[in-house]
Amino acid sequence: MEAERLAPSAGTPFVTADERPADILQRVFGYGSFRGDQEAIIRHVVSGGDALVLMPTGGGKSLCYQIPALCREGLAVVISPLIALMQDQVTALREAGVRAASLNSSLDFSEVRSIEGVMRSGELDLLYVAPEKLMTEPFLDLLERCRLSLFAIDEAHCVSQWGHDFRPEYLQLAVLKNRFPGIPRIALTATADGPTRKDIVERLHLQSAEQYVAGFDRPNIRYRVGLKTAPKRQLESFLQDHEGEAGIIYCMSRNKVEDTAQMLRASGYNALAYHAGMSKEERARSQDSFIRDDAVIMVATVAFGMGINKPDVRFVVHLDLPKSLEAYYQETGRAGRDGLPAEAWMIYGTNDLARLHQMAAQSEASQEQKRVEKRKLDALLGFCETARCRRQVVLEYFGEKGATPCGNCDTCLEPVETFEGTEAARKALSCVYRSGQSFGSAHVIDLLLGISSEKCTRFGHDQLSTFGIGTEFTKNEWRSIFRQLIALGYLTVDNEEYGALKLTPECRPVLRGEQDVDFRRDPSSRGRGGLKSRTKRSFGPALAIESSRDQALFDRLKALRLELAKEQSLPPYVIFNDKTLFEMATVRPSTLEAMEDLYGVGKRKLERYGPAFLSVIQEETD
Ligand code: ADP
Ligand code: ZN
């Protein structure tokens, strides 16, 4: 099918040589201005330079090679690890009228032949290809006979063993430099850390590439973290604020995924499940519906998400703790790729932590690896328990210093109460010490509360001087204090010893009375029962539809979009994204020329879809 659709449109070159990048941005993609470093990167690559681009998800990496591909003569080869990603990009490009195709294992022989034909005849601007296909000798031969404009290496972190999705095939891409001298190469990734970046440069021979490193903040995502008190009720109340929106809910286990999806369906949500225990076909069906239908909630394990390019995911929920802050940032990063307001909401409990520690202890990893994992867990807990701006904590973890409080996370929006807890800290720490640093928090809390369990009598702990010295706090309050003592680094959990708490050297000044400790007061420990529900719609001020009249039009435009998408088996956002529909509903253009000024309306889409949308606008406006 790919090839069929391609052949007839091929003819005159799509781009006139003297068209500037900014004109292409407007004419093809319908955007009025570049974002961040885009323009500099594009200029550099158009003039033939190599580049390494680090930009967060949703930052706009694709245009950094798509526009040069249209400015420079010849074929641009885009190397991408995932078929789903390639197909998405190709569909979107073709909708915008660009001559793009992808070569992957899902095509049959004649489709491949036909694409190779247009490659040779110079009638193709962008070709997406998997690394294993690219690196075959016949294909490299074919490329040598084509006129090439550039190589783009997407998800370039796959070349690094430090990254989380190392792909051995990527290592072979090193040969491109010598085999195709003079063809610019642009490597792109959203994975930032130093070792990975160094690896990319070395392995892909990008020493002379210009590096463009954008900040990793995702300002449109609102972060909220709360305690798990009544998870089902908390989830229902969260979803009430997200009616009609698409989102992902991550759970730790397959069973929990199934149960949660079932429960949501019973409450009337269009919720689907996705986990590695389902058949390949079932998973594909779920994923497809998530991408192609409106307002689907995907309940999933971490098996879901890689390569999902859906830009209008409005929320990502974690009902269980992810395994690290990196994982959390990657998973929540799937929200709001379109730059519109989105929300990342997580609830966690003490049990989650115990489970993660247990998993770490049972893993087969080397001692060194285990130490790394332990540090990652500590960082995650520190993030959960912080009284500071969540965004600041995350960005600092990724090495970005100097961020100011963001105003768009729970701790900024509802500053947490803290209390002077030096005395409480000393009681807790001494109790850990006196009981021999061999027990988990549950037992130590029993001791503080003077609860005489079997374990307690067995070890003679009811004889300790610290037995029953902490009755001024409830069990939940002590739990919170212990989590914070760990997060603050005064206590550490010994994974090798079934989660026994140990004192760290840092707690000495506290025990000696030389250092004060402040704790955050958890909402639940004041009996408020979990997080306050949000008052504002998540679409936020940037996209707030004020009048019900505009809302009605917006809903009709969305329905039209879905209908057009279904007819052509396209994902709706490929036709127009939410922001474009929002502008249509609020600006209400009365002519096609006026419509062209709106966000995301390029020439080709205007011709193709403009009239249909215009007539709905007119019907609702008269
Ligand atoms: P990334 O690959 O970095 O995750 P994408 O290239 O998919 O991000 O871009 C994310 C979204 O932002 C897309 O919907 C894209 O069309 C949009 N976008 C990119 N650049 C611009 C721009 N200059 N103006 C407006 N929208 C843009
Ligand atoms: Zn904040």
Side-chain angles (χ1 to χ4, degrees), residues 25 29 31-35 38 55-63 89 154 309 311 337-339 577 599:
L25 181 71
F29 300 96
Y31 301 138
S33 57
F34 285 110
R35 271 193 202 152
Q38 275 177 338
M55 244 186 225
T57 309
K61 286 185 283 301
S62 322
L63 290 185
Q89 296 261 9
D154 206 5
N309 215 346
R337 292 179 75 123
D338 53 11
N577 69 23
Y599 177 92

Side-chain angles (χ1 to χ4, degrees), residues 101 140 194-195 197 233 288 343 375 484 490 543 546 586 612:
L140 290 172
R197 195 193 313 174
R233 207 160 38 80
D288 220 47
E343 183 155 25
R375 270 203 303 277
Q484 295 184 65
Y490 297 129
L543 246 194
E546 305 275 313
T586 48

Side-chain angles (χ1 to χ4, degrees), residues 551-562:
Q551 183 68 50
L553 175 55
F554 183 69
D555 292 343
R556 273 201 67 187
L557 295 170
K558 257 172 104 168
L560 171 64
R561 176 178 68 178
L562 188 61

Side-chain angles (χ1 to χ4, degrees), residues 463-478:
Q463 304 303 312
L464 295 178
S465 60
T466 51
F467 188 72
I469 57 166
T471 49
E472 70 275 36
F473 293 111
T474 64
K475 207 174 237 189
N476 269 340
E477 285 166 337
W478 276 120

